[in-house]
Each structure stands twice: as C-alpha cells, then as structure tokens.
Amino acid sequence: MRTVKLTALLVPALLAALLAPAAQAADARLALPDFKALEAKASDSVSVTLDSSLIGLAARFLDPNKPEDAAARQVIAGISGIYVRSFTFDADFAYPREQVERLRQQLSPPRWQPLVQVHNRKDRNDVDVYVAVEGSRTTGLTIIASEPREFTVVNIVGSVDLEKLHQLEGHFGIPKLNLNEQQQK
Amino acid sequence: MTDDDLEAQLRAALRPIEPEEGFAARLGARIARERALRPPLALRFLWVPAALAATVVVALLVAHERELQVERAGLAARQQLIEALRVTDEKLDLAYRGVNDAARRRAAGDTGV
C-alpha cells in the first residue's frame, strides 16, 4: 500500500521535473495572433518562425568567414525559438492598437520584466523591450515596436545574451551607434 | 492371372534393351551442341553486378536529391534567421537610440544647454 502511495507521489514529481525545462521555455513563447488581416493591409511584411530544429539547421549553413554569419552564430547559441512578425504600411497607424495591447497583456510580471520602454512623441514611435527571467538568467526576449507605418513583434525564446545582441550593431546593414563613445563625450 | 504370369510380364517389361546404333554418339553431340549454345557462367550472372550498379546509382541519386533538399531548407532557414536578427537588431537599435536621446536631453537640461 505504501509503495503504491509513493509511486503515486513520485511519478508526477518526476514528470514535473522532466517537463519543467520545456515548460519554462514554452512560457517565454508568446501566443502571437495570426495577423492575417494585418498582413492583407500591409505593403510589406516579414514573418519568421524558427523553432529549435530550424535554428539548428540554419546554424549549419552559417559561414564563419562572413561577419554577419559569425555574429548570428554567437547570438543563437542557447536560443530555442525566434518568432518575428513585422508589417509596413502605406498609411499611418493602419494597424489596430487593440492587438498591440493584447500582446502587451501577455508580458506581465513575474515572468516578464520590462527592460526598455521608449515612447517617442516626436517620432510617434513606441518600443518596449521585455525579458523573461528565471532566477538569474534570461529565458526570453520580446520587442514590441509600433511606429506610425510599421508594427513589429519579436519574440525570442531561450537564454538571450543581450551583450551579444548588442554586438549585432554594425552587421545586417545597421549602422554602428557607438553608444559608449557618445556617453563618454 | 497367377503370380507367375505377373512376374513373367514384369520381367518382359523391365528387360534390358540395347540402345539403337549411334545413340551414344547422338547424345554426346547434342550435349556438346547445347553446351555451346549456353552462355558461359560469367555471362549468365552478368545481371547481378548490373543490378547492383543500378541500385548504387539510384541510391546515390536519392541521397544527392535529399542532400539538395536539406541544403535548400538550410539556406532558407539561414535566410530567415538573418532576416529575424536584422529586424531584431533594427528594433533594438530604435530602443537604444530612444534611450540615448532621452539621456542626452536630460544631460543637456542638467547643464543648461
């Protein structure tokens, strides 16, 4: 009788322990709306869905001799999912703000912590950067950027090294900002 | 019919008969003719290496096609990854710029510029 009770306790505990990492990683993945209506309105759209197997496959085809590939390889170490939805419009604020708000509602503490929130009235753009934190390590990153003619959601699942992400500057056609130099001036 | 009659009939039916004149020569000639017509052993089993070679060629073609498919999928995934990182980088850049602008404005306000 005692054995049966112990088994009944141990099996769920073991299952929970085994499934915990997967559950943690899954928690950092946002439930992205399908954005079908938005895609129809957009003049340009980018939709990227990369799970861990596709990231692994992509990594095999990164050329270490190309700077952008080498930078990408460093960034994706520890990442198990990248989901990007980006839409460009011909008119200002053609996207429904409710969808943006619904996304923001998923990014609530204690799992998600706001890292950077930029609300620029002059340029009319809002950029919110959130990180998912488990103990002392980040398990996810989400960026919601709404500009007058562009709406972007980036959801990265896995341990994100922000320093390495920042090192992407200067690659992918993005000009280097030299933030540190400017701060020193 | 008595047993003796049956035995006599059996003996008559099973009596040794001498072959016709030239039977052995005709048989020998026929065997030689058929042997000459039959392809040699190596030729008879020529289809085995041919089938093996065909199997290898088909297997190589399938493997090559599969490799091409994996390569196409890999290059597409790489392209998507680069695109995703480009967008991420662009938006982080926007955030950094916003933070930097705000810090600069605060610094300018503090120094009275």
Side-chain angles (χ1 to χ4, degrees):
Chain A
M1 193 66 182
R2 180 180 285 260
T3 315
V4 173
K5 276 185 180 169
L6 271 176
T7 314
L9 284 172
L10 276 173
V11 169
L14 273 171
L15 276 174
L18 285 170
L19 296 173
Q24 281 175 6
D27 281 352
R29 185 176 172 181
L30 292 185
L32 294 175
D34 69 359
F35 293 121
K36 281 261 160 59
L38 222 54
E39 206 173 324
K41 274 189 198 173
S43 57
D44 192 19
S45 64
V46 174
S47 176
V48 176
T49 300
L50 290 171
D51 59 12
S52 57
S53 61
L54 279 174
I55 291 174
L57 182 64
R60 281 171 50 193
F61 291 88
L62 290 171
D63 182 355
N65 297 319
K66 284 185 183 170
E68 66 174 29
D69 283 25
R73 189 182 282 273
Q74 280 201 325
V75 169
I76 60 172
I79 288 176
S80 57
I82 303 178
Y83 308 91
V84 175
R85 304 288 183 270
S86 185
F87 307 94
T88 308
F89 305 95
D90 290 331
D92 282 3
F93 297 107
Y95 52 89
R97 292 299 189 104
E98 306 85 65
Q99 278 195 328
V100 183
E101 281 315 306
R102 239 176 288 152
L103 269 172
R104 282 210 177 92
Q105 281 167 10
Q106 292 182 51
L107 301 162
S108 54
R111 178 164 298 279
W112 289 98
Q113 304 290 338
L115 183 70
V116 177
Q117 293 187 304
V118 175
H119 303 285
N120 190 325
R121 279 188 193 169
K122 192 179 135 207
D123 295 332
R124 295 187 297 164
N125 60 39
D126 299 333
V127 187
D128 297 312
V129 183
Y130 295 86
V131 284
V133 185
E134 286 287 333
S136 59
R137 68 190 185 95
T138 56
T139 57
L141 174 88
T142 293
I143 305 168
I144 299 178
S146 39
E147 297 158 77
R149 294 193 176 194
E150 206 174 320
F151 171 60
T152 303
V153 185
V154 176
N155 177 213
I156 298 177
V157 182
S159 72
V160 183
D161 189 332
L162 289 172
E163 188 58 36
K164 280 179 187 162
L165 261 179
H166 183 60
Q167 282 168 9
L168 284 175
E169 267 180 40
H171 301 293
F172 309 109
I174 302 297
K176 200 156 179 65
L177 285 172
N178 296 323
L179 291 178
N180 295 337
E181 287 173 26
Q182 284 181 9
Q183 279 164 3
Q184 281 163 11
K185 282 174 195 171
Chain B
M1 186 185 285
T2 64
D3 285 352
D4 289 342
D5 290 341
L6 180 66
E7 194 178 329
Q9 276 183 10
L10 278 173
R11 276 182 191 282
L14 299 173
R15 76 183 186 284
I17 299 170
E18 281 299 314
E20 291 172 33
E21 190 71 29
F23 173 79
R26 281 202 308 277
L27 185 66
R30 187 174 168 182
I31 289 170
R33 201 167 54 243
E34 283 187 0
R35 197 171 282 169
L37 284 174
R38 224 161 57 175
L41 197 67
L43 281 178
R44 265 188 292 155
F45 291 99
L46 195 64
W47 66 270
V48 175
L52 277 175
T55 307
V56 169
V57 167
V58 168
L60 283 174
L61 282 174
V62 168
H64 180 64
E65 182 55 35
R66 204 170 159 199
E67 205 172 292
L68 281 179
Q69 275 180 2
V70 169
E71 192 177 330
R72 276 195 289 267
L75 288 173
R78 176 195 170 274
Q79 189 63 36
Q80 283 218 322
L81 177 67
I82 298 289
E83 180 68 4
L85 292 177
R86 188 194 62 75
V87 172
T88 306
D89 193 25
E90 198 180 285
K91 298 310 158 195
L92 279 178
D93 181 47
L94 197 65
Y96 286 134
R97 241 186 338 219
V99 170
N100 208 33
D101 284 351
R104 222 176 8 223
R105 273 198 302 272
R106 268 200 304 275
D110 288 347
T111 53
V113 178

